[in-house]
């Protein structure tokens, strides 16, 4: 994790599902992982156990939300995402999450945070795996940030 003021401009996301360099001031919350045809351990990060309570917030996300006085707003968004309609397998529907993020975006911007719904599909010989997550950027540090995986 990058310590603010350390002079470092980026950090590597440490979650096994996301291997990308995040600029300073950008944090992520994983929503779910969907797999098809792959032999993987039982999905424990999907909608049934997804982050819908404050006690599941990643520490770097919590720090940003507390700094920007947006913790209640974050929790409200995650609760709404958790309650949103799912597909027949119980996975979050892309368009539903997109609509929710769009609905909350202006409120986050007022607090100095931008929010993005992101999705990445990895295709393998034996199947595929899709991850859905939220990225939050501190607009004082990252005014022009836009993740390439953003869906809205």
């Amino acid at each position: 994790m990058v310590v603010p003021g350390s002079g470092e401009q980026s950090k590597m996301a440490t979650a096994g599902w996301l291997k990308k360099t995040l600029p300073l001031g950008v944090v992520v919350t994983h929503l779910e992982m969907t797999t098809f045809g792959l032999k993987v351990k039982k999905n424990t990060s999907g909608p049934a156990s997804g982050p819908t309570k404050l006690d599941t917030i990643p520490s770097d996300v919590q720090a940003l939300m507390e700094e920007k006085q947006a913790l209640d707003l974050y929790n409200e968004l995650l609760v709404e995402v958790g309650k949103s309609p799912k597909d027949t397998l119980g996975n979050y529907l892309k368009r539903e999450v997109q609509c929710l993020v769009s609905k909350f975006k202006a409120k986050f911007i007022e607090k100095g945070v931008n929010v993005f719904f992101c999705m990445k599909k990895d295709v393998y010989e034996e199947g595929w795996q899709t991850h859905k997550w939220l990225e939050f950027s501190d607009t004082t540090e990252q005014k022009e940030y836009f993740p390439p995986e953003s869906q809205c």
Side-chain angles (χ1 to χ4, degrees):
M1 182 173 202
V2 173
V3 177
S6 66
E8 294 184 54
Q9 296 301 309
S10 62
K11 62 181 179 177
M12 177 61 80
T14 57
W17 57 272
L18 180 64
K19 299 218 187 304
K20 86 179 224 181
T21 302
L22 295 172
L24 188 62
V26 177
V27 295
V28 301
T29 294
H30 192 225
L31 295 177
E32 74 178 356
M33 173 184 71
T34 306
T35 61
F36 178 78
L38 298 176
K39 293 181 181 179
V40 295
K41 292 181 181 177
K42 184 178 178 191
N43 178 10
T44 57
S45 60
S49 62
T52 58
K53 296 181 183 174
L54 284 176
D55 62 350
T56 61
I57 186 172
S59 59
D60 54 352
V61 175
Q62 183 168 353
L64 176 62
M65 296 303 151
E66 286 176 348
E67 176 188 332
K68 299 296 185 172
Q69 298 180 347
L71 198 53
D72 289 339
L73 186 59
Y74 171 87
N75 194 43
E76 186 181 342
L77 171 59
L78 272 271
V79 167
E80 290 297 315
V81 168
K83 293 188 316 188
S84 68
K86 316 289 186 293
D87 67 17
T88 56
L89 299 175
N91 299 309
Y92 293 116
L93 296 171
K94 177 180 166 181
R95 69 181 176 280
E96 296 292 335
V97 179
Q98 286 171 322
C99 287
L100 286 169
V101 169
S102 294
K103 174 183 165 187
F104 279 81
K105 191 174 270 289
K107 293 176 187 177
F108 274 103
I109 295 287
E110 287 175 16
K111 301 275 187 182
V113 178
N114 207 343
V115 58
F116 306 93
F117 169 58
C118 299
M119 196 166 80
K120 177 183 174 198
K121 184 174 186 175
D122 295 318
V123 179
Y124 303 96
E125 193 172 299
E126 64 276 9
W128 52 262
Q129 187 172 61
T130 300
H131 291 277
K132 295 175 185 159
W133 71 94
L134 299 174
E135 287 193 26
F136 300 91
S137 66
D138 181 338
T139 59
T140 58
E141 294 186 45
Q142 297 295 331
K143 291 181 176 136
E144 303 297 322
Y145 181 74
F146 189 85
E149 309 89 352
S150 180
Q151 302 296 306
C152 62

